[in-house]
Amino acid sequence: MHATTALRSTARTPLIRFLGRRSVPQSVDHSPRPHPASPSGALPDSFAVYRVKAQQHGPLGRASFAQGAIGRNTGSSLGPVQPKQGEFFDRVDLPSRFHRLPWTEAEIEAIETGGASLFA
């Protein structure tokens, strides 16, 4: 006897029960409304007005792109980039006490064996 055919012979009864018949509303209001948690409680006049006021990693308006013109010029035309006093771009520029330590033979062996050499 096959277990799958025995299971299929009985009618499947879903575990979830819905109340009432399925009904699709005749008309749904899709007009834009402000979010209930909106601080102003009003919709913006247009998306362009919203973009002028919006801040996401800096202003989104066209004026911000015209001031620095970042993205329209080459990197070399923006001038040299030097770290400020006390800032470093790379770890090798730091004092030697902050450099990476060289791997020891024991550490290399432990990594290559997956740690098994530590217990052998």
Side-chain angles (χ1 to χ4, degrees), residues 19-23:
L19 299 175
R21 291 183 49 130
R22 179 182 299 178
S23 62

Side-chain angles (χ1 to χ4, degrees), residues 7 10-11 14 27-28 32 39 43 49 51-52 72 74-76 81 85 89 96 98 101 109 116:
L7 290 174
T10 60
S27 63
V28 179
L43 290 172
V49 172
R51 256 183 95 80
V52 169
R72 295 183 184 171
T74 61
S76 59
V81 178
Q85 180 68 27
F89 286 152
S96 61
F98 297 111
L101 297 175
E109 183 68 25

